[in-house]
Amino acid sequence: MALLFIPLAVLAQILGLTTVALISVWMIKYLDGFAWDGSSQQFNLHPFLMVIGLIYFYGNAIIIYRITSGLNVPRLAVKLAHFILQLCAFICSIIALVAVFQFHNANQIPNMYSMHSWAGIATVVMFGLQLLFGFLIFLFPKLPERYRTLYMSSHIFFGVFILGLAGATVLMGIGEKLAFAGNYSEFPKAAIVGNVAGSACIGFICIIIFIVTNPNFKFHSYEHVDKL
Amino acid sequence: MALLFIPLAVLAQILGLTTVALISVWMIKYLDGFAWDGSSQQFNLHPFLMVIGLIYFYGNAIIIYRITSGLNVPRLAVKLAHFILQLCAFICSIIALVAVFQFHNANQIPNMYSMHSWAGIATVVMFGLQLLFGFLIFLFPKLPERYRTLYMSSHIFFGVFILGLAGATVLMGIGEKLAFAGNYSEFPKAAIVGNVAGSACIGFICIIIFIVTNPNFKFHSYEHVDKL
């Protein structure tokens, strides 16, 4: 089973990068690219940054302990990489939120009415809290081992759950964006690109969760809190 | 932590039943109820049966080992209940698929173009395979212990993953249905009902996965394959 690790980690990268690439193609080729002027080009930054941040960076942050576990990297470096990747993900998600709220406001479109927006806000708030608690408890000021041990199982559970919710939110976003376009059922090229991006995103998240929940891929005891 | 089990199991039932109730209210009060005549009333059976089957029955099938683990129920009875609940879920999902395909065909609406439909077909196919392999390996003809042990971790991983994908598909379905209605951004009452149903569904799935992945809720060793 351990032999599957490298092929799965490579496949995850391929699927994650495919998701980012296809969302980029959709935004640039079929929806006029990017700008920061309140137009629909500003909206386009929203899916682009969310997928880079809360899918690709976040997914990689989750499996970085496994990726580095055979490579003799100092533990603090891995912890910092885990934190920094998620900090980048959080910054991407905040810019992505500002982009869509400003776009809505500039175009008199209401905010926060859709299922996507409800799940999305829940995702970003939970992700922000997870990042904050993770930082305070595991990095600085870093609580005593007893508290770290107590918190670890919740940190892992919510880490995986929030990734799943982020994935569901991306899929809802793809579905709603294409449904709002009005010609989804004619299956235009943009819909193919969007649906394939969503499918790749499902595959990426499936492999990330499989890797992180599979004890065969713990090559040594990085995860144990007393070593953190 | 073990003390949390009953409150969480009760909360899961409340959230699961709330999801089913709100989807029913949406279909009956805001979308004209049910029929089997190719009309939009036939479509309404699709979300209703999917949520009962692939969310409520399936979620309960997953935690039934935990629910019964303090109650001295014979193991074979629990296994059969686990299987029968999922068989009911599968039957609901097949009727729900027939309902929507017939509705599309009767109204010249293409099939299988949306992100929701792609994720949904993947969910039902994976769920069907999971049910088939689970039946063959754990129930009849029931493979030798060595093979059951080998398969168990995949059975659990995919069981949880498919529930997550079913949840994502329901959320996409809610978002697409409301987006297609054309007045989503005016936030009509149907949208409130749909969004709250989706939120309850997220909560239900979160608690089911928390219960099934938390070792503190294994009150005895039901799960160990050599006892199955």
Side-chain angles (χ1 to χ4, degrees):
Chain A
M1 178 58 99
L3 286 175
L4 273 180
F5 179 74
I6 292 177
L8 282 175
V10 170
L11 186 57
Q13 295 310 314
I14 293 171
L15 289 168
L17 291 171
T18 300
T19 309
V20 172
L22 289 176
I23 294 288
S24 307
V25 167
W26 183 13
M27 295 303 127
I28 295 168
K29 186 163 175 197
Y30 298 104
L31 294 171
D32 300 327
F34 306 114
W36 194 273
D37 55 5
S39 71
S40 67
Q41 290 169 297
Q42 178 168 336
F43 169 86
N44 295 347
L45 285 166
H46 174 79
F48 176 71
L49 289 171
M50 284 298 190
V51 165
I52 288 181
L54 289 185
I55 302 298
Y56 189 66
F57 286 171
Y58 185 18
N60 277 296
I62 285 179
I63 58 163
I64 202 159
Y65 287 98
R66 302 289 186 277
I67 287 176
T68 55
S69 74
L71 302 176
N72 212 17
V73 184
R75 277 187 291 277
L76 184 62
V78 183
K79 266 174 100 165
L80 281 175
H82 180 70
F83 173 72
I84 290 167
L85 268 173
Q86 283 175 89
L87 188 64
C88 292
F90 188 64
I91 293 168
C92 284
S93 73
I94 296 301
I95 301 173
L97 281 184
V98 173
V100 74
F101 277 98
Q102 281 193 359
F103 162 72
H104 282 169
N105 295 342
N107 296 277
Q108 278 92 49
I109 300 169
N111 290 302
M112 296 302 305
Y113 61 84
S114 72
M115 190 67 247
H116 167 77
S117 65
W118 287 27
I121 279 293
T123 303
V124 174
V125 169
M126 289 170 77
F127 184 78
L129 292 173
Q130 171 89 346
L131 190 64
L132 179 68
F133 286 128
F135 181 79
L136 295 174
I137 293 171
F138 294 120
L139 269 172
F140 184 82
K142 188 172 169 176
L143 298 192
E145 186 182 330
R146 187 173 150 239
Y147 298 99
R148 281 180 279 146
T149 310
L150 212 61
Y151 175 60
M152 183 53 103
S153 63
S154 303
H155 186 70
I156 294 173
F157 174 78
F158 282 105
V160 171
F161 178 75
I162 296 166
L163 180 70
L165 192 56
T169 307
V170 164
L171 295 172
M172 273 181 265
I174 292 170
E176 287 181 12
K177 180 72 185 162
L178 291 166
F180 283 135
N183 62 345
Y184 202 177
S185 69
E186 295 158 24
F187 208 41
K189 279 185 187 160
I192 301 174
V193 174
N195 287 5
V196 176
S199 306
C201 181
I202 293 171
F204 175 74
I205 290 174
C206 179
I207 294 174
I208 296 292
I209 298 178
F210 184 75
I211 287 175
V212 83
T213 57
N214 196 315
N216 295 307
F217 298 148
K218 284 186 188 174
F219 299 114
H220 55 61
S221 59
Y222 259 156
E223 282 63 37
H224 199 267
V225 278
D226 63 7
K227 297 206 171 176
L228 285 177
Chain B
M1 178 57 100
L3 286 176
L4 274 179
F5 179 73
I6 292 176
L8 282 175
V10 170
L11 185 58
Q13 295 310 313
I14 293 170
L15 289 169
L17 291 171
T18 300
T19 309
V20 172
L22 289 176
I23 294 288
S24 307
V25 168
W26 183 11
M27 295 304 127
I28 294 167
K29 186 162 174 200
Y30 298 104
L31 294 172
D32 301 327
F34 305 115
W36 193 273
D37 56 4
S39 72
S40 67
Q41 291 169 296
Q42 177 167 336
F43 169 86
N44 294 348
L45 284 167
H46 174 79
F48 176 70
L49 289 171
M50 283 298 189
V51 165
I52 288 182
L54 288 185
I55 302 298
Y56 189 66
F57 285 171
Y58 185 19
N60 276 298
I62 285 178
I63 60 163
I64 201 158
Y65 287 98
R66 302 289 186 278
I67 288 176
T68 55
S69 74
L71 301 177
N72 211 16
V73 185
R75 277 187 291 279
L76 183 62
V78 183
K79 265 174 99 166
L80 280 175
H82 180 69
F83 173 72
I84 290 167
L85 268 173
Q86 284 175 87
L87 188 63
C88 293
F90 188 63
I91 293 168
C92 284
S93 74
I94 296 300
I95 300 172
L97 281 185
V98 173
V100 74
F101 277 98
Q102 281 192 358
F103 162 73
H104 281 171
N105 295 343
N107 295 277
Q108 278 90 47
I109 299 169
N111 290 301
M112 295 302 306
Y113 62 83
S114 73
M115 190 68 246
H116 167 77
S117 65
W118 287 27
I121 279 293
T123 304
V124 174
V125 169
M126 289 170 76
F127 184 78
L129 291 173
Q130 172 89 346
L131 191 65
L132 179 68
F133 286 127
F135 181 78
L136 294 174
I137 293 170
F138 294 120
L139 269 173
F140 185 82
K142 189 172 167 177
L143 297 192
E145 187 183 328
R146 189 174 147 238
Y147 297 100
R148 280 180 280 145
T149 310
L150 211 61
Y151 175 60
M152 182 54 104
S153 63
S154 302
H155 186 71
I156 294 172
F157 174 78
F158 281 105
V160 171
F161 178 75
I162 296 167
L163 180 70
L165 192 55
T169 307
V170 164
L171 295 172
M172 274 181 266
I174 292 170
E176 287 181 12
K177 179 75 185 161
L178 291 166
F180 283 135
N183 62 344
Y184 201 178
S185 69
E186 296 157 24
F187 209 41
K189 279 186 187 158
I192 301 174
V193 173
N195 287 4
V196 175
S199 306
C201 180
I202 293 172
F204 175 74
I205 290 175
C206 180
I207 295 173
I208 296 293
I209 297 178
F210 185 74
I211 287 175
V212 82
T213 58
N214 196 316
N216 294 307
F217 299 148
K218 285 185 187 175
F219 299 114
H220 53 64
S221 59
Y222 258 157
E223 282 62 40
H224 198 269
V225 279
D226 63 9
K227 297 205 171 175
L228 285 178

